[in-house]
Amino acid sequence: MRTEIRGDGLTTDSPITGRPLHALVAGAGIGGLSAALALARAGWRVTVLERAAVIEEAGAGLQISPNASRILADFGVLDRLRLTATEPEALYIRRARDGSELIRLPLGPLAQLRWKSPYLVAHRADLQRTLIEALAHEPSVVIKTATSVLGFASSDEGVQVGGKMGLANVRFEGDLLIAADGLRSVLRGRMGLGLNDKPVYSGRTAWRALVDAQDAPAFALRLNSNLWVGPKAHLVHYPLRGGSVVNVVAITEDPWRGDDGKDFWSVSGDAAAVSRRFAKWHPDARALVGAVREWRRWPLFDRNPVTRWSVDRVVLLGDAAHPVLPFLAQGAALAIEDAYALGVAASRHGVDVRALIADYEKARIARAATVNTASRRQGFIYHLPEPLGLARDFAMRSLGPERLMEKLDWLYLNQ
């Protein structure tokens, strides 16, 4: 099966072909779709190549912090997303063993006032659908599904991409190739960024689930985001889709070493085993974990930062460039930031593709590396065992909401 969304009409012309500059985007995830929207707004023609036959609902909840929601507003899609997204009133950080509140971070209107944009939570599929709907109104964008990208060749004249559409060999030509094909990017492997350039397993696994409101404990339905911290584990939950479901993420230390095959990210988890992992936590936390009927296991990877993301006319974006651990909830946000920076560079440099790429890398590589390092550090802090965990708890209580908000300014006011 193949799906195509397309139209006609453009503005920016290539000096070589006399036609509008054409970007090829490998991957129709959040990053790839956002990049397509940003480049279309800059006057480019865009073809998005997605290996899945159908772009369908996948994943679960994600947090859309102000640095990302500000860009979505600029893209003109935030109002549409808010129809399905939720705006938490606060983030509560609690201690695992007794449920005591360590700190409360006000969100809602205060977050919007301070960081100039809302802090939202949404189902990943709702954000993806919102971007696709926006692209359907961009006459310069085509999305081709059931199309796998296998390799590329780049020259002064442009870039050629080879792949498969079903069983048929296909070829596409453009002025720029954006590799937004995820953590295990095929194109990154073709770019030869280094012998040791591989995803690094963090030693932790995220267990993800959605719980129907009728099955969830009442406290989990309150309009808040919640983070529980404990020895070698933490728990995140918040209501989604108007409170009809609760998104639950349990992250644990895990000796997994990659024995589940290529679809390791979608393997079902043993609910009883996950419940046992939280058996000594506060009854509220245990009740929520026990309400889950099916977990999806998601081993967590990142990569060591690199100093370049491009080869000739091919450039990385999103998880293909900088997979980041979820402890600052910045995976999708960084991809959206990448897309925005790419669009700005495209508007600034016109037909000079190499200057565009250099500008994009200058804007993004250091930022992504900083967030990567901070996310790793935050995960270490969340999972501290006793007695170090007691020192963490005391520090959080002493910090207070205002100072915590100050500590997040660098992250949320980037754009």
Side-chain angles (χ1 to χ4, degrees):
M1 176 179 178
R2 181 166 62 87
T3 302
E4 194 168 294
I5 304 171
R6 66 167 303 147
D8 300 296
L10 288 166
T11 57
T12 306
D13 290 347
S14 163
I16 297 172
T17 65
R19 296 189 298 273
L21 287 166
H22 182 201
L24 304 171
V25 179
I30 303 303
L33 295 172
S34 297
L37 188 55
L39 287 172
R41 285 159 44 90
W44 282 58
R45 183 163 61 96
V46 185
T47 301
V48 181
L49 308 172
E50 167 56 43
R51 68 178 181 177
V54 179
I55 302 176
E56 57 188 356
E57 182 167 313
L62 53 80
Q63 300 177 61
I64 304 171
S65 49
N67 50 314
S69 67
R70 191 179 309 116
I71 294 170
L72 295 176
D74 184 76
F75 285 171
V77 301
L78 184 61
D79 287 345
R80 185 182 293 118
L81 178 63
R82 294 188 80 156
L83 297 175
T84 53
T86 301
E87 186 172 8
E89 296 174 357
L91 165 66
Y92 288 89
I93 302 180
R94 303 183 186 279
R95 185 162 58 192
R97 61 181 170 84
D98 61 8
S100 61
E101 180 183 320
L102 300 178
I103 195 167
R104 174 185 179 273
L105 176 67
L107 297 174
L110 284 177
Q112 180 147 351
L113 180 65
R114 184 182 190 98
W115 296 311
K116 316 304 180 188
S117 199
Y119 195 111
L120 305 175
V121 293
H123 196 291
R124 179 177 296 273
D126 293 340
L127 175 56
Q128 192 172 31
R129 186 182 308 110
T130 297
L131 293 169
I132 290 173
E133 289 171 355
L135 289 171
H137 296 285
E138 291 289 345
S140 58
V141 177
V142 177
I143 300 178
K144 294 182 179 290
T145 58
T147 305
S148 298
V149 176
L150 302 178
F152 65 86
S154 183
S155 69
D156 290 341
E157 286 70 38
V159 60
Q160 297 80 44
V161 171
K164 290 278 190 181
M165 184 178 291
L167 298 177
N169 294 323
V170 290
R171 180 183 175 188
F172 301 92
E173 296 185 355
D175 300 284
L176 173 67
L177 171 59
I178 300 153
D181 52 341
L183 168 72
R184 296 184 177 274
S185 169
V186 170
L187 292 177
R188 180 165 177 153
R190 301 286 189 270
M191 292 168 71
L193 293 180
L195 294 176
N196 296 319
D197 182 51
K198 295 180 179 179
V200 179
Y201 176 53
S202 67
R204 303 181 181 99
T205 286
W207 305 91
R208 303 179 186 272
L210 293 175
V211 178
D212 289 338
Q214 62 189 20
D215 299 324
F219 77 89
L221 299 176
R222 296 173 191 148
L223 197 58
N224 297 309
S225 184
N226 299 271
L227 166 64
W228 300 67
V229 292
K232 298 185 178 180
H234 75 276
L235 180 69
V236 174
H237 61 91
Y238 44 81
L240 286 176
R241 292 177 168 170
S244 62
V245 294
V246 176
N247 184 68
V248 185
V249 183
I251 297 183
T252 63
E253 309 287 321
D254 189 345
W256 178 89
R257 286 295 179 267
D259 55 354
D260 293 335
K262 65 178 182 179
D263 292 330
F264 62 89
W265 61 85
S266 62
V267 174
S268 295
D270 183 341
V274 178
S275 292
R276 285 195 297 272
R277 179 63 185 79
F278 293 88
K280 295 182 179 180
W281 284 40
H282 185 268
D284 283 353
R286 297 203 309 268
L288 180 59
V289 170
V292 174
R293 296 179 180 179
E294 182 181 17
W295 294 97
R296 307 303 291 181
R297 187 184 195 186
W298 198 289
L300 298 176
F301 289 80
D302 66 357
R303 288 181 187 263
N304 293 320
V306 292
T307 57
R308 67 185 177 101
W309 290 351
S310 66
V311 172
D312 295 328
R313 291 171 175 262
V314 185
V315 67
L316 301 168
L317 183 143
D319 281 354
H322 50 70
V324 60
L325 297 175
F327 305 119
L328 289 174
Q330 287 297 297
L334 284 181
I336 293 167
E337 285 186 9
D338 289 351
Y340 179 81
L342 193 69
V344 169
S347 298
R348 183 178 294 156
H349 294 288
V351 299
D352 191 342
V353 174
R354 286 185 169 81
L356 180 165
I357 291 174
D359 195 354
Y360 165 71
E361 289 184 313
K362 182 178 179 180
R364 297 303 303 152
I365 290 178
R367 161 74 170 178
T370 300
V371 176
N372 179 293
T373 299
S375 296
R376 288 177 174 179
R377 183 172 61 247
Q378 200 68 22
F380 173 78
I381 292 169
Y382 287 169
H383 288 203
L384 283 172
E386 306 296 358
L388 294 176
L390 295 175
R392 173 205 58 214
D393 298 349
F394 176 79
M396 283 188 177
R397 282 192 166 128
S398 302
L399 188 63
E402 177 61 27
R403 289 178 61 198
L404 179 56
M405 293 182 90
E406 289 177 2
K407 285 181 170 290
L408 291 169
D409 285 348
W410 72 273
L411 187 59
Y412 297 161
L413 289 175
N414 179 62
Q415 292 294 340

